[in-house]
Amino acid sequence: MNSHTLELPCANDIRTGGRGTTWILLCGAIVVLLMGLVALRLYSLNLEYQLADIQRQIVLREEEQSRLEKDLAGLLNPTRVYSYARSELGMKASANMGLVKVAAIRKDSPVDHEENRAGPGVIRKALVWLADSVSRKASARQ
Amino acid sequence: MKGLRKSPWLLLAAFILALLFRLYSLQVDPDPRVRSQAGSQYWARLRVTAPRGFIRDKNGIALAISTPTLSFFIDPTLWDPGNAPLLQDLIPRPRLERISGSIGGRYYPIARKVDPPISDRIINLRLPGLFWVKETKRVYPQGNTLSHVLGFCDIDDRGLAGAELFWDSVLYAPPEGRIIAKDARGDFVDVAIPGHTMTADNDSLVQLTIDSRLQHILERRLREGFLQHKAEWAAAVLLEPSTGRILGMASLPDFNPNDRNTFADKESLRNNALSRVFEPGSTLKPIIMANLIDNGEVSQSTTVNCRGKIRVADVTIHDIKAHGLMTPTSIISDSCNVGMVTSVRNSDPFRTYSFLRRCGFGDLTGVEMPGEESGLMIPPSQWRGSVPATISIGHGIGVTPLQLAVATSSIANGGKIMKPFIVSEIRSRGGALEYQGSPVVVSELMSARTAQWMREALRLAVEKGTGRSADVPGAKVAGKTGTAQVPGAGGYLKGDYTPSFVGFWPFNDPKFLLLIVIGNPRAGDFLGGKVAAPVFRSIVQDIEQIS
């Protein structure tokens, strides 16, 4: 018995066409993937550049800080302060200087302390107000 | 399959695969020739100094700091010797002469660690073949102040003396690699080797117990005395007697660690407070007498008749005058030699030797500084003839100023020998605490009662005795003068003396102990009361004004 397989016309073409689409999609995906990788690489390069720039700035700031610290230490040098006070400001130690040792002050109770503080505080506020009113610098003071 | 073989997409896929492979091979594993060509754009790979850590005083003021600086070099293949005269007066002369002719190689350093404005002037010349790289330079912002304690470094920033040497393992940072490369504009830039950070900061720290203000007072007043008396050397030690904390340490002559020309005189590099061994003279008497009283060999009511001189074995020991009847208190306050010699006449040499060793004499104190001397102590088996007598008046024994200050502290603090320390804390890179200086009791030297009695005797020495010129009204100073002869080959040197004064204040609860030693004054005066005591007084006055 002869049997004939029924073949649809262009069945092979249809299969080829399906594989082609798959390949196109695959290649497209690879290209997109590669482009993504390239984009990522470019992005990371940009970040690296920014990082290097920030690091360079950190180093510059640290160098600046070192210089400032050196200048500060030079300014705080007691020898410099002493010679400046003597030569530039004309300051001198008094010839008849004496030492007066003051005994330790008795610790007041909290109530006394509050009372003591309240009195001068009011006077001080009044004096400040008066001074501000006269000089009209209240806003500047604040 | 047949269809697939015919498909053009297979070719495309193969092409992409080949492309990927080629990309991989170029990027990840390039040809050695490509590597070589890429590398040729780099000019040089150098090792440059990294910053050292900080040295600060107790208030945090920087005493030693590393600051950025520039080092210059040339590439002889790009360098035109005709440009050399432009660098005249900007770089060392031998280097200038060298680069005026032809040189081989591709790297020749011409000036290291150049500061502005010289470095700016060299850069502004923009000479072809001249390059520079960043380095750090050790700077001491306070100049001569505390120079012996701080020490100094070599050109590569390795510590050579003082705290810089002693704590080099903490302060030193190994050199960093630098690649000199061309940037997009064609300029040469220095960058760190990949994997290494470019650091301009090193936060390791050596914090001293020294107070810069007290140190300044100490140095200024000591220098005044040193110059006034035309002395050969001088030393001062300021201690907190209750803890052993060193608040100030001065030595003259000194040097400026920023200026290597001042290193030429070797005497100026010596820290006299640690490395100078001298005979203390009468400043040792209070310690010896305290021992005699503590042992019961002498009581506070014992009396000795001073006739002005006494014969011991083959020598005669003199006094300034015949003091007459003396008690232990008056022996100390009037610094009576005869009284001291008579008092120790029956002492056991081995016992006295053991006591002096417990005082710390003949041993290193263990302070965190290099170059300390242990002093000279004759073993008791050799204490024959006049030796015990001369030791009782501070001769025949060699001590350092620091040892004497520590031993006298025991009188001030109630009888304890404290280990002196000059470092408050050490922090390594990153801030971890490596070491912390703290009070350590080395030995109990005398009873608190004896120490109390001796403090009163020393107060009397300043009020009415030989130390009157050290008295400061209101400060309640107690102390002792010393005037020692200087031993030389074949005996004591004629005309050479070491006047000194050691004292503390306030005498009933001492906060400070100060020792002043002036070596070989040549201006006429040589007595401790005339030379060292006035320096002591001026320092106390200044310290009392700020403390």
Side-chain angles (χ1 to χ4, degrees):
Chain A
M1 237 179 98
N2 287 333
S3 63
H4 294 279
T5 309
L6 181 61
E7 287 190 6
L8 289 171
C10 304
N12 281 339
D13 291 347
I14 289 166
R15 273 199 300 272
T16 309
R19 278 199 297 272
T21 308
T22 309
W23 275 103
I24 288 170
L25 288 173
L26 190 66
C27 291
I30 289 169
V31 168
V32 167
L33 198 66
L34 285 173
M35 285 176 72
L37 284 173
V38 168
L40 274 175
R41 178 68 187 139
L42 287 173
Y43 181 62
S44 72
L45 277 174
N46 184 41
L47 286 178
E48 271 179 36
Y49 175 77
Q50 285 183 27
L51 196 65
D53 194 44
I54 289 167
Q55 198 174 359
R56 209 163 22 247
Q57 285 184 36
I58 289 170
V59 171
L60 286 174
R61 294 289 87 80
E62 283 177 347
E63 287 175 359
E64 186 65 22
Q65 190 187 335
S66 298
R67 285 194 200 94
L68 288 172
E69 183 136 23
K70 187 187 89 175
D71 292 347
L72 176 68
L75 290 170
L76 291 173
N77 182 359
T79 309
R80 182 196 156 278
V81 173
Y82 179 81
S83 59
Y84 186 86
R86 279 186 80 94
S87 60
E88 300 294 321
L89 305 177
M91 293 171 79
K92 278 185 204 169
S94 174
N96 55 356
M97 189 179 290
L99 288 171
V100 178
K101 295 282 179 185
V102 181
I105 299 166
R106 183 177 61 87
K107 239 184 180 177
D108 294 326
S109 68
V111 177
D112 293 345
H113 193 64
E114 277 301 312
E115 281 172 0
N116 288 340
R117 207 171 51 180
V122 172
I123 296 167
R124 189 176 174 279
K125 275 180 190 168
L127 284 171
V128 168
W129 176 82
L130 188 66
D132 288 345
S133 306
V134 171
S135 61
R136 293 181 183 175
K137 284 179 181 171
S139 57
R141 190 183 293 276
Q142 287 163 356
Chain B
M1 285 299 289
K2 187 182 169 187
L4 193 65
R5 276 197 299 274
K6 284 179 183 171
S7 168
W9 299 112
L10 186 65
L11 288 172
L12 184 63
F15 176 72
I16 288 170
L17 277 174
L19 203 62
L20 283 172
F21 175 75
R22 187 64 184 146
L23 268 173
Y24 174 84
S25 60
L26 280 176
Q27 290 291 324
V28 181
D29 185 25
D31 189 275
R33 287 170 300 175
V34 176
R35 277 180 191 270
S36 163
Q37 198 167 356
S40 68
Q41 72 177 312
Y42 297 120
W43 191 88
R45 183 183 271 241
L46 301 174
R47 306 285 287 173
V48 295
T49 52
R52 282 173 74 82
F54 291 89
I55 303 180
R56 296 181 187 277
D57 82 341
K58 67 175 278 198
N59 300 314
I61 295 174
L63 301 170
I65 189 170
S66 288
T67 56
T69 184
L70 295 177
S71 290
F72 292 88
F73 58 93
I74 60 164
D75 177 358
T77 59
L78 305 172
W79 173 249
D80 176 10
N83 287 330
L86 296 170
L87 293 169
Q88 200 160 17
D89 302 329
L90 298 175
I91 64 170
R93 185 148 195 88
R95 300 274 163 167
L96 184 74
E97 286 169 2
R98 188 80 179 84
I99 62 170
S100 298
S102 62
I103 318 170
R106 298 210 60 185
Y107 171 79
Y108 185 76
I110 57 168
R112 281 197 71 184
K113 304 193 175 184
V114 183
D115 288 323
I118 302 287
S119 59
D120 294 338
R121 285 173 61 190
I122 297 176
I123 290 169
N124 290 337
L125 291 171
R126 301 192 73 82
L127 298 175
L130 172 71
F131 308 104
W132 54 90
V133 65
K134 281 180 191 169
E135 285 200 279
T136 58
K137 183 181 183 179
R138 201 61 166 164
V139 175
Y140 304 88
Q142 308 216 1
N144 287 40
T145 304
L146 207 62
S147 54
H148 294 96
V149 172
L150 298 176
F152 52 88
C153 298
D154 66 7
I155 190 76
D156 293 317
D157 276 359
R158 295 308 304 245
L160 289 182
E164 294 277 29
L165 172 64
F166 199 84
W167 296 105
D168 195 47
S169 58
V170 176
L171 294 168
Y172 177 71
E176 287 180 347
R178 284 278 192 276
I179 294 172
I180 308 300
K182 257 184 186 173
D183 68 4
R185 288 186 293 270
D187 293 331
F188 279 89
V189 291
D190 70 300
V191 292
I193 286 176
H196 295 75
T197 52
M198 290 167 67
T199 52
D201 199 11
N202 176 354
D203 59 356
S204 61
L205 168 72
V206 172
Q207 185 146 32
L208 303 177
T209 56
I210 302 281
D211 184 327
S212 287
R213 298 171 311 156
L214 301 183
Q215 180 68 24
H216 163 70
I217 291 169
L218 210 61
E219 290 191 10
R220 184 163 57 86
R221 293 300 192 182
L222 187 69
R223 194 182 304 277
E224 283 173 8
F226 174 76
L227 295 174
Q228 182 191 342
H229 295 286
K230 297 184 176 133
E232 282 181 13
W233 61 275
V237 178
L238 180 67
L239 283 175
E240 193 176 66
S242 59
T243 59
R245 183 177 284 117
I246 296 173
L247 302 172
M249 182 183 279
S251 174
L252 291 172
D254 61 353
F255 62 94
N256 182 349
N258 295 312
D259 180 6
R260 285 175 190 276
N261 294 323
T262 61
F263 298 0
D265 179 14
K266 282 182 184 167
E267 277 302 306
S268 68
L269 298 181
R270 179 202 282 216
N271 185 351
N272 290 312
L274 298 174
S275 312
R276 174 76 67 166
V277 176
F278 72 108
E279 293 197 355
S282 299
T283 43
L284 194 69
K285 285 176 185 168
I287 296 163
I288 300 280
M289 182 59 85
N291 181 42
L292 295 174
I293 290 187
D294 222 32
N295 289 342
E297 292 176 55
V298 170
S299 77
Q300 290 168 24
S301 56
T302 306
T303 53
V304 174
N305 190 17
C306 170
R307 293 197 174 92
K309 61 181 177 181
I310 188 169
R311 183 87 185 163
V312 182
D314 55 340
V315 297
T316 304
I317 293 171
H318 293 270
D319 249 321
I320 287 177
K321 61 175 184 180
H323 290 109
L325 218 55
M326 303 291 282
T327 61
T329 306
S330 57
I331 288 172
I332 294 300
S333 64
D334 292 339
S335 198
C336 177
N337 289 341
V338 174
M340 280 304 296
V341 170
T342 311
S343 300
V344 298
R345 187 170 273 173
N346 299 319
S347 287
D348 175 15
F350 287 89
R351 206 166 168 179
T352 309
Y353 177 83
S354 165
F355 170 78
L356 290 171
R357 290 304 297 260
R358 279 192 288 126
C359 289
F361 300 129
D363 254 329
L364 301 178
T365 63
V367 70
E368 311 96 329
M369 292 284 294
E372 189 187 5
E373 288 286 338
S374 57
L376 293 167
M377 282 273 287
I378 305 168
S381 54
Q382 294 174 26
W383 285 24
R384 299 186 197 99
S386 62
V387 173
T390 55
I391 284 179
S392 74
I393 58 169
H395 284 87
I397 177 173
V399 305
T400 65
L402 182 62
Q403 284 176 337
L404 185 60
V406 169
T408 312
S409 287
S410 66
I411 295 169
N413 67 25
K416 295 185 284 290
I417 289 286
M418 304 298 297
K419 184 183 172 195
F421 63 101
I422 199 167
V423 173
S424 174
E425 65 175 39
I426 303 284
R427 289 190 183 272
S428 60
R429 221 167 169 170
L433 186 67
E434 294 277 317
Y435 171 85
Q436 197 159 27
S438 55
V440 175
V441 179
V442 178
S443 64
E444 297 277 350
L445 201 64
M446 63 187 84
S447 67
R449 193 160 162 267
T450 305
Q452 168 70 23
W453 174 83
M454 187 50 74
R455 283 200 294 274
E456 285 164 9
L458 290 174
R459 173 66 188 143
L460 205 64
V462 172
E463 276 183 320
K464 296 174 181 171
T466 53
R468 284 191 296 271
S469 49
D471 200 14
V472 176
K476 296 179 188 169
V477 172
K480 181 76 191 78
T481 53
T483 309
Q485 288 180 281
V486 179
Y492 285 101
L493 302 173
K494 206 169 183 182
D496 280 4
Y497 293 94
T498 313
S500 57
F501 188 90
V502 62
F504 45 84
W505 73 98
F507 84 97
N508 44 0
D509 182 22
K511 299 282 184 290
F512 300 98
L513 180 135
L514 174 62
L515 168 68
I516 303 291
V517 189
I518 310 279
N520 299 341
R522 303 286 186 211
D525 287 329
F526 61 87
L527 293 173
K530 294 259 184 184
V531 177
V535 175
F536 181 97
R537 183 188 58 212
S538 59
I539 291 171
V540 175
Q541 279 174 336
D542 287 356
I543 290 176
E544 283 297 295
Q545 282 175 37
I546 63 164
S547 62

